[in-house]
Amino acid sequence: MADERELTYIGAVAEASRTVLLEQENAFIAGEDVAGAGGVFGSYRGILDEFGDQRIVDTPISEEGIIGLGVGAAATGLRPIVDIMFMDFMGECMDEIANQMAKMRYMFGGSASLPITVITMSGGGINMAAQHSQSLEAWICHLPGLKVVAPSTAYDVKGLIISASRDDNPVFVVLNKLSLRNRGHVPEESYTVPLGEANVVREGSDVSIVTYSRMVGESMTAADTLSENGIEAEVLDLRSLQPMDTEAIVESVKKTQRVVVVHEAVRFGGLGGEIAAQIQEDAFDYLDAPVARVGAPFSPVPFSPVLEQAYIPNAGRIVTEVNELLNAA
Amino acid sequence: MDIGIIANPASGKDIRRLTARASVFDNQEKSAIVRRCIAGIEGLCTDATIHYYPDTHHITAAALGQTELRCQPLDAEFNATARDSTLAAYNLRNANVVISLGGDGTNRAIAKSLGDVPLIALSTGTNNAFPVFCEATTAGMAAALIAMGQLSVDQVAPRTKALHVTFENGETDIALIDVVGTCDVFHGTRAILDPSRFVFAVLSVADPSKVGMTAIGGMSYVVSDARDLGLVLSFPRSDTVSAVHEVFAPIAPGVVRPVRFTGIQEVRLGESRKFSGATMLALDGERERVLKRDESVTVCVERDGPRRVDVKACLEHAACPNPATPLDEERVQKYAN
Amino acid sequence: MELNHETLLDIHRRMVRIRTFETEAGKLAEAGKIPGALHLYVGQEAIASGIMAHLSNEDWITSTHRGHGHLIAKGGEFGKMFAELFGRATGYCKGKGGSMHISNMELGMLGANGIVGAGPPIAVGAAFSIKYRNNKNVAVTFFGDGASNEGSFHEAANMAALYKLPMLFVCENNGYGEYTPQANHQAIVDVADRAAGYGMPGVVVDGMDAVAVYEAADAAIERAKAGDGPSLLECKTYRFFDHVGVRGMGLSYRTDEELAEWQKRDPIHMFESRLAELDVLSKDDAVKIHEDVLAEVQAGIEFAESSPMPDPATLLEDVYA
């Protein structure tokens, strides 16, 4: 495995974007600072030079205009990739997301297709405070018509972006800021990670940790710690949040009988509640304990590094939660 | 001392912003122009009364907020059409001077009823052969000087010419610069757009430095404001008729096109010319009235247009070569604060 | 641009089709036969007709909550439209959209829209598409004076001008944002004044005069196709019916005198008078056209009424492709 090709998480975005533009002549990228600057995180470095300013377009700081551009272009036959720099900015464009993008096909009786990929960033940990650190995936998972993925590895970033771009529906690819420099194996060729399929990243028999995005890494660290104490946790990376791989969740629950759902988003009203509900609907009889949840407290993301560290869930909290769950049973 | 102000909110917004590159006069700019006029007036004259046309866009009303001059809206049954300018002018026929903001069309409407009152015509329109581009502050000062009786109106505001249009049914109309027959059949956007549709034109002024029909005529034969003459142009109705004049003329702001005409004739003051047949009559550049197949119209140039104020002349006449009379100390103090 | 008889009659027919459809739809709504809310286009027909006379199915439009007129002028069939208004399976949107979302992709109609101001950004996307493919088409976004206060309009105007997109912003200024008069919702009177701030020309057009709209659209489309970018046409018009329905909710926000004054300038009556003077369309022939269109509308209503309701099993279809 040592000679496997590696890329960073953010490098995988650039490679996926390039792959999509090569594969699909109707694909283009639009967003703030994407072309000339190559994306504020370097997501699109080199794309402008290779493809020219018709295929990658700098937009004004106009999120509603950007999403509208994507909706109109997609409805009329193009396959836009639009970049919303931070998902916190969805507030600026929620009408075009919720009332136009998500619903147009349905309202039109199925006559329109909207093959749009929205690439955006979630998560805290880099001291960007309350308006640049949120994990708002629950907002968009609540909207019928949208698909949402949240990759945890560079491999999944590339595979999910390529899948999203080939899908004829709007797909949000929710990336994570603190993961950008993480390196991982990424094949050079084009490949897909299917939408709606979770990934068992660690097998275990004592407890299932159901998670996604950067919390997959924290969960893996937690699992190592737990393993030292003889607890074998299974870690399920959902990868897709909408549609969600309920079957994979249920399979894991059947195996371990105990579940902790982990996400960086605020716990109240977060996806953990939905996942817990699905588990009790589909696998209640297999549960030996109530479904536990780890998420951020009910507060805006704080600025001070000390406060922010106290805010964001981490491996230690996951270990504590798992231990409490197992002790309660 | 009574000074009238008529600002036309509709001027400077027509299709020639698309077909040509005509200036845009948004209403905030028009309001600022009025404000500058007021500043000019009150700089010289503190006891004038401003009588203004209360336009639906509140252009003038918005500009009067800070002045200490007496301001009175004209009281008449305005209805937000071009008729308003005529009605406003009628109500200002006893004023000392009137300031207008608009293009040829606005001033044409004002001229219908203004009579002998000197008119300071500030351009905020499109094809402006009648009004002039002029700093509004000094225009306001000129208005004040006239209102205070410090100038000879005959010297600074000579009568312009007007084109009198008489229809068979006895109805009449006027234009200030040009009466054009075109083969359009609808009023549409009112602007006259296409030289190939021109049939005839009667000009009171043929000025190659302006835009529109006056420039087309003026490119061949100059007829100034001062000359007691008009000009009649006729245009070829088919390609087989050979044109006698071909000119490149600015038919609209930013649009220079070749224009051909088959005839060009002088017409004396008071001499009527008759035109008949189905045409659209455009007065001062705007499609106004349909002439039916069996109808005719006569057009006649007269020296009875509005008294148009020459702002430069006003201020030059008022300039004082002798030691200045002392400034009113009270007002100096006011400005010092 | 040549306004030949064929074009004149075409514009006339579009206007009559809108007026008749909307009048009959209004009667059905007031009789309680149409579920939900209808925003009717009566009074504003000259705008949709004068613009759409220039467009083909390859030109895209976005519409508003008052969208029937735009779809009819773009070639919408009465039967499928009434079926949609009635919530039937045979409607343009299979009964899933209704009046406020009526649309047809084949006709280049990107939907009526229940969200005020949502259309302009979408039209920017459609215009981007046209430019991306080097097609010689345009995207037209219709919106009202009320929508011109939404941020979406401003973002779209800026982007369209920035990218020099082949696009028309058509503001149908009917003097009211829902029930609020223009003077109470914006400090300006001419929405066209806003165009200059985005680097595009803006003009004021008599929205009751179909030929004026046609001429202005012609000039704007020529600019757009020549690569000179978007234009804003502000068409001054008036709603003859209420914001919703015909008599609406009976709110007192405008006077009968004001309505009567605008009705004197009924776009169809004015146009028919001129067409008669020009011997393009006699009064008798005009009556015949109204009768023919009414018969077509009635056939459309019958089609809709006899159409099946959607099968509840189709509820979850079309959420995703």
Side-chain angles (χ1 to χ4, degrees):
Chain A
M1 296 291 277
D3 57 349
E4 269 189 340
R5 180 176 182 269
E6 283 197 346
L7 276 183
T8 58
Y9 187 93
I10 194 70
V13 180
E15 186 161 291
S17 306
R18 182 174 179 274
T19 305
V20 172
L21 292 193
L22 285 172
E23 286 178 353
Q24 301 179 25
E25 62 176 8
N26 284 333
F28 69 96
I29 299 168
E32 296 157 9
D33 299 322
V34 296
V40 294
F41 299 104
S43 311
Y44 310 104
R45 199 163 287 157
I47 301 278
L48 177 65
D49 289 343
E50 185 174 355
F51 294 93
D53 61 6
Q54 194 194 9
R55 305 290 304 279
I56 183 156
V57 183
D58 275 327
T59 63
I61 302 173
S62 301
E63 285 79 10
E64 192 167 12
I66 295 166
I67 297 289
L69 170 71
V71 171
T76 56
L78 299 185
R79 304 186 73 86
I81 297 175
V82 297
D83 186 280
I84 297 294
M85 196 185 291
F86 290 81
M87 80 184 310
D88 312 67
F89 305 164
M90 287 195 306
E92 293 278 9
C93 49
M94 208 55 181
D95 176 65
E96 290 288 338
I97 293 172
N99 286 322
Q100 314 303 328
M101 182 193 280
K103 298 175 175 51
M104 186 185 266
R105 178 180 178 80
Y106 191 80
M107 294 189 300
F108 289 12
S111 64
S113 292
L114 293 172
I116 311 168
T117 302
V118 182
I119 294 184
T120 190
M121 290 280 172
S122 73
I126 57 170
N127 315 124
M128 291 294 285
Q131 297 169 343
H132 289 73
S133 303
Q134 297 170 88
S135 299
L136 298 171
E137 58 275 8
W139 286 13
I140 39 181
C141 288
H142 188 62
L143 295 166
L146 302 183
K147 295 184 179 179
V148 183
V149 300
S152 64
T153 65
Y155 181 92
D156 286 349
V157 165
K158 180 172 172 183
L160 284 170
I161 288 176
I162 293 172
S163 282
S165 74
R166 292 181 188 175
D167 199 89
D168 283 337
N169 296 289
V171 183
F172 277 71
V173 179
V174 181
L175 303 173
N176 177 272
K177 287 175 227 99
L178 207 51
S179 307
L180 297 179
R181 303 295 156 216
N182 292 356
R183 297 184 72 84
H185 168 56
V186 177
E188 198 161 358
E189 69 271 14
S190 179
Y191 63 91
T192 59
V193 169
L195 305 180
E197 272 189 25
N199 185 24
V200 178
V201 289
R202 188 185 197 282
E203 301 245 10
S205 51
D206 299 324
V207 61
S208 298
I209 303 175
V210 177
T211 186
Y212 55 92
S213 191
R214 194 176 73 78
M215 287 299 122
V216 173
E218 294 295 323
S219 299
M220 291 296 278
T221 306
D224 289 343
T225 307
L226 290 165
S227 181
E228 287 166 13
N229 296 322
I231 299 166
E232 293 307 322
E234 175 150 303
V235 178
L236 186 67
D237 179 358
L238 289 173
R239 298 195 291 200
S240 282
L241 307 180
Q242 180 59 259
M244 192 179 282
D245 193 350
T246 308
E247 206 176 308
I249 299 170
V250 169
E251 277 310 305
S252 187
V253 172
K254 283 182 182 172
K255 196 166 145 190
T256 63
Q257 283 90 44
R258 293 176 182 86
V259 196
V260 180
V261 186
V262 180
H263 54 54
E264 189 176 329
V266 170
R267 211 172 91 113
F268 184 95
L271 283 182
E274 174 63 31
I275 293 166
Q278 290 198 15
I279 291 169
Q280 64 90 12
E281 284 164 0
D282 294 348
F284 186 75
D285 291 342
Y286 295 93
L287 285 176
D288 283 349
V291 178
R293 289 184 292 159
V294 174
F298 200 65
S299 139
V301 184
F303 165 65
S304 168
V306 171
L307 292 175
E308 193 180 27
Q309 270 179 28
Y311 175 90
I312 300 175
N314 56 27
R317 279 175 40 201
I318 297 167
V319 169
T320 305
E321 193 70 33
V322 169
N323 283 332
E324 281 179 15
L325 183 73
L326 293 177
N327 292 338
Chain B
M1 283 174 264
D2 298 295
I3 299 176
I5 296 181
I6 302 173
N8 174 11
S11 69
K13 303 206 185 243
D14 75 19
I15 191 178
R16 284 168 291 190
R17 266 34 52 180
L18 297 177
T19 54
R21 292 294 179 271
S23 306
V24 175
F25 282 95
D26 68 58
N27 297 328
Q28 283 64 40
E29 174 57 16
K30 290 178 197 167
S31 201
I33 291 171
V34 176
R35 202 175 288 252
R36 297 200 292 273
C37 285
I38 298 293
I41 295 167
E42 61 188 357
L44 295 188
C45 169
T46 50
D47 56 353
T49 302
I50 306 295
H51 304 269
Y52 66 96
Y53 160 52
D55 64 274
T56 52
H57 293 46
H58 308 295
I59 288 170
T60 305
L64 297 175
Q66 281 141 28
T67 183
E68 289 172 9
L69 297 175
R70 280 184 304 279
C71 299
Q72 290 179 351
L74 295 168
D75 184 17
E77 290 195 2
F78 296 115
N79 65 1
T81 65
R83 192 184 130 274
D84 281 4
S85 296
T86 308
L87 188 58
Y90 180 79
N91 283 275
L92 288 167
R93 64 197 182 286
N94 294 319
N96 299 101
V97 57
V98 168
I99 300 171
S100 70
L101 276 68
D104 289 340
T106 308
N107 287 292
R108 172 177 156 263
I110 290 170
K112 287 181 185 181
S113 61
L114 189 63
D116 216 30
V117 182
L119 175 63
I120 299 179
L122 299 180
S123 174
T124 62
T126 309
N127 288 9
N128 302 298
F130 184 86
V132 291
F133 284 104
C134 162
E135 168 51 38
T137 318
T138 45
M141 294 172 84
L145 291 167
I146 292 170
M148 291 188 294
Q150 296 193 359
L151 302 170
S152 151
V153 167
D154 282 334
Q155 265 185 334
V156 300
R159 277 229 176 251
T160 55
K161 290 176 273 187
L163 295 154
H164 290 255
V165 183
T166 309
F167 299 95
E168 279 179 342
N169 63 4
E171 284 178 36
T172 60
D173 208 331
I174 68 159
L176 300 179
I177 304 297
D178 56 48
V179 174
V180 180
T182 79
C183 49
D184 290 294
V185 292
F186 287 91
H187 294 86
T189 50
R190 306 190 80 85
I192 52 177
L193 305 167
D194 181 0
S196 72
R197 293 173 167 270
F198 298 158
V199 181
F200 66 85
V202 187
L203 302 172
S204 66
V205 178
D207 182 345
S209 72
K210 298 285 172 60
V211 293
M213 192 55 80
T214 191
I216 294 172
M219 286 283 167
S220 284
Y221 189 91
V222 176
V223 177
S224 68
D225 282 316
R227 290 183 71 187
D228 286 336
L229 268 187
L231 214 54
V232 177
L233 308 180
S234 47
F235 295 86
R237 290 321 308 144
S238 72
D239 292 338
T240 57
V241 180
S242 56
V244 295
H245 288 272
E246 301 190 30
V247 295
F248 278 96
I251 60 170
V255 184
V256 178
R257 291 282 179 274
V259 183
R260 297 181 172 81
F261 42 99
T262 50
I264 179 164
Q265 287 177 300
E266 287 183 3
V267 54
R268 295 187 309 279
L269 292 190
E271 183 187 341
S272 290
R273 288 300 173 99
K274 186 171 182 178
F275 303 92
S276 49
T279 69
M280 172 68 70
L281 276 192
L283 306 180
D284 289 333
E286 293 190 357
R287 284 173 265 171
E288 278 291 335
R289 174 146 176 163
V290 174
L291 206 57
K292 292 184 181 146
R293 228 164 305 175
D294 51 355
E295 278 186 304
S296 65
V297 65
T298 61
V299 183
C300 176
V301 187
E302 300 281 6
R303 174 68 65 189
D304 61 355
R307 286 186 173 279
R308 183 179 49 198
V309 175
D310 181 340
V311 170
K312 187 170 169 359
C314 289
L315 293 159
E316 285 174 356
H317 280 292
C320 188
N322 301 316
T325 48
L327 295 175
D328 176 344
E329 198 52 39
E330 196 180 321
R331 294 190 59 216
V332 170
Q333 284 307 313
K334 184 182 140 200
Y335 281 102
N337 298 329
Chain C
M1 176 204 65
E2 196 53 52
L3 261 173
N4 55 32
H5 287 196
E6 200 183 330
T7 308
L8 293 169
L9 292 173
D10 172 65
I11 293 172
H12 174 257
R13 193 171 189 89
R14 288 177 207 248
M15 290 208 281
V16 174
R17 284 176 66 82
I18 297 170
R19 173 69 56 93
T20 312
F21 180 95
E22 294 289 70
T23 305
E24 296 307 308
K27 287 180 193 163
L28 291 165
E30 301 248 310
K33 291 189 175 171
I34 295 180
L38 290 193
H39 304 88
L40 300 167
Y41 196 72
V42 172
Q44 304 181 200
E45 295 91 344
I47 303 166
S49 305
I51 305 247
M52 247 63 93
H54 292 286
L55 305 186
S56 74
N57 290 353
E58 282 70 48
D59 297 302
W60 294 99
I61 66 165
T62 66
S63 175
T64 70
H65 55 289
R66 204 171 302 290
H68 308 164
H70 301 131
L71 179 53
I72 294 167
K74 200 90 172 46
E77 294 169 37
F78 291 158
K80 290 177 182 173
M81 288 189 67
F82 274 115
E84 189 58 34
L85 266 47
F86 280 78
R88 307 289 167 134
T90 52
Y92 268 125
C93 308
K94 301 193 236 168
K96 285 174 172 162
S99 165
M100 262 190 285
H101 306 296
I102 199 159
S103 62
N104 187 256
M105 299 297 285
E106 284 162 23
L107 295 171
M109 200 299 198
L110 285 163
N113 209 308
I115 305 296
V116 171
I122 297 172
V124 164
F128 184 92
S129 220
I130 290 164
K131 190 172 179 188
Y132 188 91
R133 296 151 189 254
N134 292 316
N135 289 343
K136 285 292 168 200
N137 293 103
V138 294
V140 181
T141 183
F142 294 91
F143 60 100
D145 47 307
S148 78
N149 298 329
E150 289 277 12
S152 53
F153 159 72
H154 297 270
E155 293 190 15
N158 181 52
M159 287 172 77
L162 174 68
Y163 300 138
K164 282 193 184 295
L165 296 180
M167 191 170 163
L168 272 63
F169 289 82
V170 178
C171 178
E172 303 189 42
N173 183 347
N174 62 20
Y176 291 87
E178 294 202 11
Y179 301 100
T180 301
Q182 193 194 1
N184 291 359
H185 74 64
Q186 52 194 192
I188 59 169
V189 178
D190 295 326
V191 175
D193 283 355
R194 294 192 162 163
Y198 298 104
M200 69 168 115
V203 298
V204 175
V205 183
D206 180 357
M208 306 309 264
D209 182 338
V211 174
V213 175
Y214 181 88
E215 282 182 3
D218 188 59
I221 289 168
E222 192 180 308
R223 267 180 54 84
K225 290 185 176 173
D228 292 336
S231 310
L232 192 159
L233 311 185
E234 180 190 5
C235 304
K236 304 281 193 186
T237 185
Y238 199 79
R239 225 166 48 198
F240 287 1
F241 291 173
D242 205 83
H243 167 57
V244 184
V246 180
R247 283 162 303 167
M249 310 208 289
L251 303 178
S252 104
Y253 63 99
R254 63 182 193 183
T255 63
D256 293 342
E257 291 73 28
E258 182 182 283
L259 172 62
E261 206 51 45
W262 278 92
Q263 280 174 326
K264 284 184 198 158
R265 304 196 66 243
D266 185 310
I268 297 178
H269 295 172
M270 288 202 304
F271 195 47
E272 285 179 351
S273 300
R274 186 65 189 130
L275 292 181
E277 280 174 7
L278 291 169
D279 293 332
V280 175
L281 179 70
S282 71
K283 293 241 150 85
D284 289 346
D285 287 344
V287 170
K288 180 80 170 53
I289 288 173
H290 282 269
E291 287 169 356
D292 289 350
V293 171
L294 180 60
E296 209 188 318
V297 164
Q298 280 160 347
I301 295 169
E302 277 166 35
F303 168 81
E305 283 182 325
S306 63
S307 286
M309 287 294 181
D311 182 344
T314 64
L315 177 69
L316 296 181
E317 288 174 9
D318 306 319
V319 178
Y320 290 97

